[in-house]
Amino acid sequence: MKYKILFFFLLISSVVFSQNEKLDKTKTENIQKVIKLFQTKNIDGITKIVNYPLRREYPIPDVKNEADLKKRFNQIFDEKIIDQISNSKLDQWSEVGWRGIMLDNGDLWIDTDGRITALNYQSQFETNQKNNIIANEKKNLFSSLKQYKSPVYKFTTKNYLIRIDELDNGKYRYASWKLGKKESTKPDLILTNGEIRMDGSGGNHTITFKKGEFSYIIYRGIIGEKDAPEIDLTVEQNNKVILQQDGKLIQ
């Protein structure tokens, strides 16, 4: 099965969670409050129940805070997603373990306190925005890196700048530079055989690249513990860890 890394279209596990078994009175009331805020298009109220930053699909910038969401609200929450949330019924919401409570197939996620933790939906405005950013970004890339299907993410570790792209063949490409170098220069390492493995239903995933006896493993934690690193790099030689560095995503 071919997977595509899009934060907004998470792959949902085959386990079905029963609303009656998983959602108590408090959680049900929190869901109803969220629905009511969208029914009344209460932007002030909605911006106050979001856990920031609100992640957007790379390379679109994440939403940093309330003021940022108010400014971009109509760009992110178009009529389609507003209607989906406003018209949702309780049986469309289900609890997925520690990841929280999701609407339908994970289009919107809230925590058990009723705070929005993820919006896995992309408006037409954001689609156009993403395409424009990618076009401009390609102008500053090293020549051999300009061909790809879609960018996945960029991040820095203690020693490296790393870029991951999805290629037309469904595989993933890894390019890295020593920290301080620019993407317009030749990468120190390029790998093109990356394969993805999804970790449950929350969107967390691993992309593994192999080169001889070495494995380069990128773990992306989208939904997880508050203090957990958002991304990290592990390098193994013959299944023995020889390097592990936490990373910071670049917008």
Side-chain angles (χ1 to χ4, degrees):
M1 179 179 182
K2 179 181 177 183
Y3 293 106
K4 183 175 182 181
I5 293 290
L6 288 175
F7 173 58
F8 309 42
F9 303 103
L10 299 180
L11 298 179
I12 305 304
S13 66
S14 59
V15 178
V16 177
F17 293 84
S18 169
Q19 173 68 32
N20 293 331
E21 294 178 359
K22 292 295 180 179
L23 297 178
D24 59 25
K25 180 180 178 181
T26 299
K27 294 169 186 175
T28 297
E29 290 176 348
N30 287 335
I31 291 170
Q32 291 171 330
K33 289 177 182 178
V34 172
I35 293 173
K36 184 66 174 179
L37 286 171
F38 280 92
Q39 286 176 339
T40 58
K41 296 185 179 179
N42 186 341
I43 295 177
D44 287 341
I46 293 169
T47 59
K48 292 183 184 301
I49 63 163
V50 174
N51 280 338
Y52 297 99
L54 182 63
R55 304 296 184 188
R56 308 312 300 140
E57 182 189 355
Y58 179 81
I60 300 171
D62 292 338
V63 181
K64 300 176 182 179
N65 49 42
E66 287 185 38
D68 193 16
L69 183 53
K70 287 180 182 179
K71 181 180 178 181
R72 299 166 57 186
F73 186 87
N74 292 328
Q75 300 171 4
I76 297 170
F77 290 94
D78 61 12
E79 289 301 318
K80 182 178 179 180
I81 189 64
I82 289 176
D83 288 345
Q84 181 180 347
I85 300 168
S86 299
N87 297 322
S88 64
K89 308 300 181 184
L90 283 176
D91 60 8
Q92 293 176 248
W93 297 80
S94 50
E95 189 170 17
V96 190
W98 56 266
R99 296 178 178 88
I101 300 168
M102 68 178 182
L103 170 62
D104 293 331
N105 289 327
D107 298 309
L108 183 75
W109 288 78
I110 63 174
D111 62 20
T112 54
D113 295 322
R115 298 186 63 82
I116 295 172
T117 57
L119 174 69
N120 303 309
Y121 169 85
Q122 189 172 91
S123 66
Q124 187 60 53
F125 180 95
E126 283 195 317
T127 298
N128 295 338
Q129 181 184 20
K130 177 191 70 175
N131 292 337
N132 290 334
I133 294 173
I134 291 172
N136 289 327
E137 187 179 63
K138 284 185 176 182
K139 297 176 183 178
N140 298 315
L141 270 179
F142 185 71
S143 57
S144 66
L145 300 180
K146 292 185 177 182
Q147 296 299 318
Y148 57 83
K149 183 177 181 179
S150 61
V152 180
Y153 31 66
K154 287 189 294 186
F155 65 99
T156 57
T157 69
K158 179 181 178 181
N159 300 114
Y160 303 104
L161 165 64
I162 298 169
R163 178 187 180 94
I164 307 296
D165 296 300
E166 183 186 9
L167 304 180
D168 289 333
N169 62 1
K171 300 286 186 177
Y172 294 85
R173 182 178 64 201
Y174 173 109
S176 70
W177 298 259
K178 289 182 179 179
L179 202 61
K181 289 187 176 182
K182 296 182 178 181
E183 290 178 88
S184 57
T185 63
K186 183 178 180 180
D188 299 307
L189 177 65
I190 299 177
L191 304 171
T192 58
N193 60 346
E195 295 188 351
I196 187 172
R197 179 177 64 83
M198 303 304 295
D199 180 17
S201 60
N204 299 346
H205 56 266
T206 300
I207 304 180
T208 301
F209 301 85
K210 294 184 180 295
K211 184 179 181 181
E213 61 190 20
F214 295 93
S215 295
Y216 294 76
I217 304 164
I218 308 298
Y219 178 75
R220 173 74 171 102
I222 293 176
I223 298 179
E225 298 297 327
K226 183 177 181 181
D227 297 328
E230 51 192 358
I231 196 165
D232 64 54
L233 165 69
T234 300
V235 181
E236 297 179 353
Q237 183 178 15
N238 292 324
N239 297 318
K240 181 180 179 179
V241 175
I242 61 173
L243 175 73
Q244 197 286 320
Q245 294 185 356
D246 293 342
K248 182 175 178 59
L249 290 168
I250 299 174
Q251 289 290 318

